[in-house]
């Protein structure tokens, strides 16, 4: 084994020398990194990319254009990084075609780095602040996101040059048992939601009987509101492949699967390219890096079923069946895919493995809290300024995350709640803001780490509606095996829908609580066991909102459509403007004889267009609740 | 749905090709169905029967899988596929308003195709662009921060494209006619 180990190290050193050489060639001239992950593309990154191509061609600049993934600053997409020898690397946000043209003509052709458009520099310098000079940079500690957006996902050399696959080489020079011990020592807990210790799972699988074993990466990120796995796959697929290979070596598997959602076409494409490159370099395939360990990876495309995130359902799906969960035990680690011992780990978990083996368990334990070491990656969305991906040490409070890292609430509105963990999680109110983020404290508060979706809600978001939304989702996604999950969630959904329409009864709240207990007890898998969480937490913390809907027919957040009416405030409306009339899709807004505008309540479809149109000018269109009956128009 | 002329031959040929590429192991069943849908745009009854025969499972099992997973559709999609994201962030920023706007403009409901098979409208759980909500995926393009007015804009764009294409066709036809007359 020791002889093989030295061979592996030697093979790796050769690979790395080649890669370093290839990448050094890059730094001798200018280059432009354009973030073209799905989120960047949605914001127009492909147009920006095209502009850079044509402008650089037009001005005959010697510069490379490289497509990279996502740096996590979604609010500033599309983002580019421009490097010119003699200048620090500078990152620019919200780039459009105009700015892209300027960056070429002013910066690359001449020597003006266009500081007006710059967000931050990537390294300390005398001209411009770096990311570390902003609160987000101070509180963030990037481990799995560290290379995202900085390296080309389709260039294995860039990954290897940054010590990539060094963890795998190190693992291969050890006994598999020692790899497992390292993971156990690191106290890494699975990032899929439940937080089960990864090392323990591996040990069970290693010790299970059988020659054929499998490793599966669960990239079926179905949780609405979470996009971490997508970003990791699109930005740094090699990190995951390395983690998966280490896992396979540790438990003694030679076949790995990556189960990825078909809704992530770009992630699948980049993953396929990465696997191909790794195979070419001899990093996967027969005798990995010259060792006697062989390993290959297949991609399996999930077909859009949330329940397939559950281990046994995922296995059923790979086997070609409907993804319906099964009883555990036996746990997949003992009897999984085709009845063989199988470990299933989440994308984030496997990405951490890469770093743990590279840097050691002690290093990992130095981050975060003793109970949950490491970092937490969150997908911040909703009403915060700095939306995007953030990675903070475990134990950071929710308040720090929202107000310091993400720069607070949008449009100076008031914070109401934070929804953590998607459909399995819960809504926490302002009083929970000082909770430290880790598996145990979130669970105690009634929420869940889940897959890391964190949606911030403000005063304009209705808590009954958000509970109804999540229940609609879980009800739709229930596979139908367990009666309580199949029918119980339907009953809860019907009750919640009634409440949002003002047809609820006071005793409904107690009925909901009762149903919640039964559904939790009567469901086999986590989908059913956690489905009532959004309802339970909103009732616990925002009971007054439920009661306002039921007793007064009023939606305090002015969100539930059946309980609001759009009206025009006469005092604010301008006679000279008719933007609202033009914006209405159904001709419900009209000009009265006194030239002020008004809304035909019976025609209005409550599409919000007139309100948005009026907002920057007069703010004359307002919502009122409880609703005004059609015919009883207050403005006559 | 009734098949159009020549459609059955196309279905048979495509299904046979996919089965040839994927093999007939049970484990390949979902990839086979995905392949068929990729080629045909949906899973026609005839295709499902063929797959059942090849993989040697009962037709009802194929139907179970095709209806269990959200990805599979049993009706032909429109020429342009509109997918409205209904993830958390999109929902909270008015995803349902966007869905209603499309329903109103296209005069179809979610999950349906317009009678001329020009547009189909679907909801998707989450496309992972939550920071840019509300999001709509039109064919392969992701539209960010969509407002009801943008809905009109998207549809107007297709309408203009279609009209321009028709004009081209008419122009080409009339040119041909003139040429024939001259000839």
């Amino acid at each position: 084994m020791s002889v093989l180990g030295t061979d592996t190290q030697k093979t790796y050193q050769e690979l790395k020398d080649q890669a370093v050489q290839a990448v050094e060639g890059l730094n001798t001239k200018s280059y432009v990194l354009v973030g073209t992950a799905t989120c960047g593309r949605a914001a127009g990154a492909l147009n920006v990319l095209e502009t850079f191509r044509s402008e650089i061609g037009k001005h005959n600049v010697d510069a490379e254009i490289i497509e990279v993934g996502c740096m996590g600053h979604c609010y500033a997409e599309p983002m580019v990084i421009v490097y010119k020898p003699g200048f620090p690397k500078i990152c620019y946000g919200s780039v459009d075609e105009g700015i892209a043209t300027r960056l070429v003509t002013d910066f690359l052709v001449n020597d003006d780095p266009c500081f007006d458009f710059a967000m931050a520099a990537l390294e300390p310098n005398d001209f411009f602040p770096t990311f570390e000079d902003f609160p987000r940079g101070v509180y963030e500690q990037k481990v799995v996101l560290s290379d995202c957006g900085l390296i080309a996902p389709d260039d294995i050399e860039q990954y290897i040059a940054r010590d990539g696959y060094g963890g795998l080489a190190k693992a291969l020079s050890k006994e598999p048992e020692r790899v497992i011990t390292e993971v156990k020592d690191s106290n890494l807990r699975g990032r899929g939601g439940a937080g089960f210790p990864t090392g323990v799972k591996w040990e069970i699988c290693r010790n299970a009987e059988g020659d054929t074993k499998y490793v599966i990466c669960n990239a079926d990120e179905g949780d609405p509101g979470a996009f971490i796995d997508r970003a990791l796959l699109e930005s740094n697929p090699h990190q995951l492949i390395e983690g998966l290979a280490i896992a396979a070596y540790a438990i003694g598997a030679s076949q790995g699967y990556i189960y990825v959602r078909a809704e992530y076409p770009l992630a699948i494409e980049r993953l396929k390219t990465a696997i191909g490159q790794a195979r070419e370099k001899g990093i996967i395939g027969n005798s990995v890096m010259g060792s006697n360990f062989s390993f290959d990876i297949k991609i399996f495309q999930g077909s859009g079923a949330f329940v397939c995130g559950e281990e046994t359902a995922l296995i059923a799906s790979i086997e070609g069946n409907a993804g319906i969960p099964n009883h555990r035990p036996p746990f997949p680690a003992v009897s999984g895919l085709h009845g063989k011992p199988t470990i299933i780990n989440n994308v984030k978990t496997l990405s951490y493995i890469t770093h743990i083996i590279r840097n050691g368990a002690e290093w990992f334990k130095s981050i975060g809290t003793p109970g949950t070491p490491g970092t937490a990656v969150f997908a911040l969305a909703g009403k915060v300024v700095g939306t995007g991906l953030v990675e903070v040490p475990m134990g950071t409070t929710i308040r720090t995350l929202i107000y310091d890292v993400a720069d607070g609430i949008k449009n100076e509105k008031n914070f109401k709640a934070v929804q953590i963990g998607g459909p399995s999680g819960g809504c926490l109110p302002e009083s929970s803001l000082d909770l430290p983020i880790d598996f145990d404290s979130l669970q105690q508060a009634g929420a869940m780490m889940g897959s890391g979706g964190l949606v911030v809600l403000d005063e304009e978001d209705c808590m009954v509606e958000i509970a109804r939304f999540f229940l609609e989702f879980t009800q739709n996604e229930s596979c139908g095996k367990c009666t309580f999950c199949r029918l119980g969630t339907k009953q809860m959904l019907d009750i919640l829908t009634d409440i949002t329409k003002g047809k609820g009864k006071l005793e409904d709240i107690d009925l909901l609580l009762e149903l919640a207990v039964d559904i939790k007890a009567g469901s086999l898998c986590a989908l059913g066991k956690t489905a009532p969480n959004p309802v339970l937490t909103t009732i616990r913390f925002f009971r007054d909102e439920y009661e306002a809907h039921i007793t007064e027919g009023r939606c305090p957040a002015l969100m539930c459509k059946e309980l609001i009416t759009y009206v025009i405030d006469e005092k604010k409306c301008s006679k000279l403007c008719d933007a609202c009339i033009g914006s209405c899709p159904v001709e419900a807004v009209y000009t009265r004889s006194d030239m002020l505008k008004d809304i035909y309540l019976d025609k209005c479809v409550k599409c919000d267009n007139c309100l948005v149109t009026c907002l920057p000018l007069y703010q004359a269109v307002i919502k009122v609740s409880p609703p005004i009956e059609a015919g009883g128009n207050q403005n006559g | 749905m009734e098949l159009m002329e020549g459609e059955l031959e196309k279905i048979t040929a495509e299904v046979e090709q996919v089965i040839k590429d994927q093999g007939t192991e049970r484990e390949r069943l979902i990839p086979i169905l995905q392949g068929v849908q990729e080629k045909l745009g949906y899973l026609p009854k005839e295709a499902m029967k063929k797959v059942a025969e090849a993989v040697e499972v009962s037709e009802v099992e194929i139907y179970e899988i095709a209806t269990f997973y959200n990805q599979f559709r049993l009706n032909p999609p429109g020429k342009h596929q509109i997918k409205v994201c209904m993830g958390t962030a999109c929902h909270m920023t008015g995803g349902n308003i966007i869905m209603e706007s499309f329903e109103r403009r296209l005069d179809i409901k979610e999950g349906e195709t317009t009678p001329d098979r020009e547009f189909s409208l679907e909801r998707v759980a989450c496309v992972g662009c939550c920071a840019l909500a509300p999001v709509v995926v039109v064919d392969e393009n992701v539209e960010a921060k969509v407002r009801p007015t943008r809905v009109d804009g998207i549809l107007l764009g297709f309408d203009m494209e279609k009209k321009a294409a028709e004009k081209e066709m008419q122009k080409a036809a009339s040119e041909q006619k003139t040429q024939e007359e001259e000839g």
Side-chain angles (χ1 to χ4, degrees):
Chain A
M1 202 65 200
S2 61
V3 182
L4 274 174
T6 19
D7 273 1
T8 319
Q9 291 291 0
K10 217 176 104 194
T11 319
Y12 176 67
Q13 201 51 48
E14 279 165 20
L15 280 173
K16 195 174 166 190
D17 291 344
Q18 277 172 21
V20 168
Q21 218 171 13
V23 172
E24 263 174 8
L26 262 182
N27 279 333
T28 55
K29 60 177 188 176
S30 306
Y31 60 77
V32 180
L33 307 179
V34 184
T36 56
T38 306
C39 39
R41 289 180 181 203
L46 291 182
N47 289 340
V48 170
L49 183 71
E50 210 34 64
T51 310
F52 272 114
R53 282 209 180 111
S54 67
E55 287 297 316
I56 283 177
K58 203 157 68 183
H59 296 282
N60 227 344
V61 185
D62 183 25
E64 194 102 16
I65 302 169
I66 301 165
E67 286 187 50
V68 295
C70 164
M71 284 182 72
H73 295 257
C74 299
Y75 61 93
E77 292 285 3
M79 285 173 72
V80 302
I81 294 168
V82 182
Y83 170 70
K84 185 172 181 175
F87 288 88
K89 291 172 191 149
I90 302 172
C91 175
Y92 301 85
S94 308
V95 177
D96 56 17
E97 285 96 326
I99 296 178
T101 313
R102 286 274 306 273
L103 287 174
V104 176
T105 53
D106 293 7
F107 188 14
L108 291 180
V109 176
N110 297 306
D111 278 338
D112 170 16
C114 306
F115 285 135
D116 289 357
F117 312 129
M119 276 175 78
L122 295 187
E123 55 225 34
N125 62 83
D126 298 335
F127 315 101
F128 208 74
T130 62
F131 279 114
E132 283 70 32
D133 297 327
F134 295 96
R136 192 175 180 126
V138 173
Y139 289 102
E140 269 199 289
Q141 183 169 2
K142 291 191 174 187
V143 176
V144 291
L145 291 180
S146 55
D147 286 342
C148 293
L150 302 178
I151 61 169
D154 56 359
D155 184 359
I156 192 171
E157 308 279 14
Q158 291 189 26
Y159 181 70
I160 298 178
R162 288 176 170 242
D163 296 329
Y165 290 109
L168 177 60
K170 209 168 156 190
L172 289 175
S173 61
K174 292 182 188 178
E175 301 287 336
E177 286 80 5
R178 284 187 50 206
V179 177
I180 294 181
T181 313
E182 185 87 53
V183 175
K184 268 174 76 182
D185 286 347
S186 76
N187 214 351
L188 172 69
R189 297 174 65 173
R191 296 301 201 256
F196 191 78
T198 307
V200 175
K201 202 188 223 178
W202 286 16
E203 194 169 48
I204 297 171
C205 191
R206 170 97 209 156
N207 295 335
E209 276 179 42
D211 292 336
T212 314
K213 289 174 185 173
Y214 296 106
V215 288
I216 301 175
C217 167
N218 180 355
D220 190 46
E221 190 177 44
D223 174 348
F227 48 94
I228 304 153
D229 295 351
R230 176 184 62 71
L232 285 173
L233 293 173
E234 288 179 353
S235 310
N236 198 357
H238 287 290
Q239 182 176 256
L240 167 68
I241 295 171
E242 184 174 357
L244 193 63
I246 294 171
Y249 176 71
I251 65 151
S254 57
Q255 181 65 55
Y257 287 86
I258 300 176
Y259 188 100
V260 51
R261 299 176 78 196
E263 285 94 331
Y264 289 172
L266 185 65
I268 294 171
E269 188 191 311
R270 289 189 173 170
L271 206 47
K272 277 184 180 161
T273 314
I275 292 175
Q277 288 172 344
R279 206 174 277 144
E280 243 169 59
K281 291 262 173 206
I283 289 167
I284 57 173
N286 285 329
S287 99
V288 171
M289 290 194 220
S291 70
N292 57 358
F293 165 63
S294 296
F295 176 63
D296 215 332
I297 301 174
K298 278 187 196 165
I299 294 178
F300 191 93
Q301 294 187 30
S303 324
F306 179 62
V307 71
C308 287
E310 203 279 340
E311 295 187 334
T312 53
L314 188 147
I315 288 171
S317 178
I318 294 185
E319 287 172 351
N321 298 307
I324 295 174
N326 262 313
H327 279 279
R328 294 186 303 184
F331 285 91
V334 178
S335 167
L337 186 62
H338 305 304
K340 310 282 190 235
T342 305
I343 54 155
I344 301 176
N345 281 137
N346 171 276
V347 178
K348 279 159 283 194
T349 315
L350 289 170
S351 299
Y352 281 113
I353 291 290
T354 304
H355 296 275
I356 291 171
I357 300 299
R358 221 185 273 174
N359 303 321
E362 286 309 314
W363 162 83
F364 190 70
K365 274 197 287 195
S366 70
I367 310 169
T369 63
T372 317
T375 56
V377 189
F378 281 106
L380 282 180
K383 307 288 172 66
V384 277
V385 178
T387 52
L389 290 184
V390 294
E391 185 168 3
V392 291
M394 287 281 183
T396 307
T397 63
I398 305 175
R399 190 186 296 279
T400 307
L401 194 63
I402 295 175
Y403 286 96
D404 296 321
V405 180
D407 244 358
I409 311 294
K410 259 182 208 168
N411 304 328
E412 286 160 24
K413 291 270 179 352
N414 289 319
F415 170 89
K416 186 190 262 177
V418 54
Q419 209 286 339
I420 302 183
S424 317
C427 290
L428 302 179
E430 187 146 21
S431 60
S432 309
L433 274 180
D434 291 311
L435 268 184
I437 295 166
D438 62 60
F439 288 101
D440 306 317
S441 18
L442 286 182
Q443 207 137 23
Q444 269 165 23
M448 208 178 146
M449 192 83 159
S451 55
L454 196 148
V455 183
V456 178
L457 307 170
D458 70 8
E459 53 195 287
E460 291 180 346
D461 293 318
C462 171
M463 303 313 290
V464 187
E465 172 57 25
I466 187 109
R468 193 203 61 77
F469 165 76
F470 280 117
L471 216 65
E472 186 181 25
F473 179 82
T474 31
Q475 200 272 321
N476 252 319
E477 294 295 337
S478 167
C479 77
K481 182 168 183 161
C482 310
T483 317
F484 278 99
C485 177
R486 182 179 70 240
L487 299 176
T489 54
K490 178 81 179 91
Q491 291 305 320
M492 280 183 108
L493 177 62
D494 286 348
I495 295 170
L496 286 167
T497 310
D498 276 350
I499 296 177
T500 57
K501 288 183 173 169
K503 294 177 194 156
K505 298 185 285 290
L506 262 183
E507 56 268 31
D508 283 348
I509 299 181
D510 290 326
L511 189 55
L512 283 172
L513 293 173
E514 207 177 296
L515 274 167
V517 174
D518 293 344
I519 294 171
K520 274 175 177 267
S523 302
L524 189 60
C525 80
L527 189 144
K529 281 190 194 301
T530 59
N533 281 353
V535 183
L536 285 175
T537 48
T538 46
I539 293 181
R540 187 191 309 162
F541 298 118
F542 302 95
R543 202 182 179 112
D544 54 326
E545 284 200 31
Y546 279 82
E547 287 167 357
H549 281 75
I550 295 169
T551 53
E552 301 167 47
R554 178 173 67 89
C555 175
L558 301 174
M559 192 180 186
C560 294
K561 273 178 83 173
E562 311 265 340
L563 300 184
I564 54 166
T565 312
Y566 283 79
V567 292
I568 293 176
D569 185 347
E570 287 183 20
K571 293 188 192 79
K572 286 185 178 170
C573 177
S574 160
K575 292 182 180 181
L576 300 171
C577 165
D578 53 9
C580 51
I581 295 182
S583 76
C584 181
V586 292
E587 292 170 15
V589 191
Y590 67 101
T591 311
R592 299 192 325 201
S593 52
D594 57 3
M595 298 307 283
L596 291 172
K597 312 296 171 293
D598 205 349
I599 300 174
Y600 289 122
L601 296 184
D602 48 347
K603 275 193 187 173
C604 177
V605 291
K606 302 177 186 175
C607 74
D608 216 36
N609 259 6
C610 51
L611 191 145
V612 175
T613 313
C614 193
L615 206 55
L617 297 164
Y618 308 105
Q619 292 118 42
V621 182
I622 49 171
K623 295 186 271 191
V624 292
S625 182
I628 301 159
E629 293 299 317
N633 194 338
Q634 61 171 18
N635 293 340
Chain B
M1 188 164 282
E2 289 294 310
L3 292 180
M4 288 192 281
E5 210 186 303
E7 223 173 334
L8 186 63
E9 289 71 26
K10 193 182 168 215
I11 290 171
T12 316
E14 295 287 10
V15 171
E16 276 168 7
Q17 186 57 46
V18 171
I19 289 170
K20 213 173 121 193
D21 294 345
Q22 296 282 356
T24 54
E25 280 167 63
R26 176 65 209 245
E27 199 184 300
R28 304 308 300 163
L29 188 51
I30 292 173
I32 291 173
L33 295 177
Q34 285 169 337
V36 172
Q37 173 153 306
E38 200 185 318
K39 287 278 193 299
L40 300 172
Y42 72 116
L43 294 179
K45 203 163 61 187
E46 293 72 14
M48 288 195 275
K49 279 186 186 167
K50 280 238 163 282
V51 174
E53 242 169 65
V55 188
E56 291 178 11
V57 294
S58 63
E59 285 170 25
V60 69
E61 263 179 273
I62 304 279
Y63 188 75
E64 182 198 2
I65 288 165
T67 49
F68 182 86
Y69 293 103
N70 296 328
Q71 188 194 11
F72 298 118
R73 37 164 65 243
L74 305 181
N75 284 315
K79 201 169 120 201
H80 301 293
Q81 294 180 36
I82 296 164
K83 295 175 189 149
V84 183
C85 180
M86 287 288 182
T88 318
C90 290
H91 179 80
M92 297 322 274
T93 44
N96 52 340
I97 290 175
I98 302 305
M99 179 60 96
E100 281 168 21
S101 303
F102 273 114
E103 286 181 340
R104 193 162 52 239
R105 284 291 182 228
L106 295 171
D107 201 18
I108 51 172
K109 292 268 161 250
E110 169 202 324
E112 292 179 353
T113 305
T114 50
D116 59 0
R117 290 207 194 174
E118 198 67 22
F119 296 101
S120 52
L121 186 60
E122 284 169 61
R123 66 184 287 160
V124 286
C126 184
V127 289
C129 299
C130 309
L132 302 162
V135 169
V136 178
V137 186
V138 182
D139 294 331
E140 296 300 309
N141 301 322
V142 183
E143 296 268 351
K145 296 186 180 164
V146 179
R147 299 289 322 163
T149 39
R150 178 69 194 132
V151 170
D152 294 352
I154 293 169
L155 296 178
L156 191 68
F158 284 124
D159 201 38
M160 282 165 63
E161 222 171 75
K162 199 179 154 196
K163 284 203 175 118
E166 275 170 12
K167 221 174 167 182
E168 279 296 305
M169 292 242 298
Q170 273 173 4
K171 209 174 141 194
S174 67
E175 266 170 22
Q176 206 180 2
K177 213 172 154 191
T178 345
Q179 270 178 5
E180 274 168 20
E181 276 170 8
E182 279 170 3

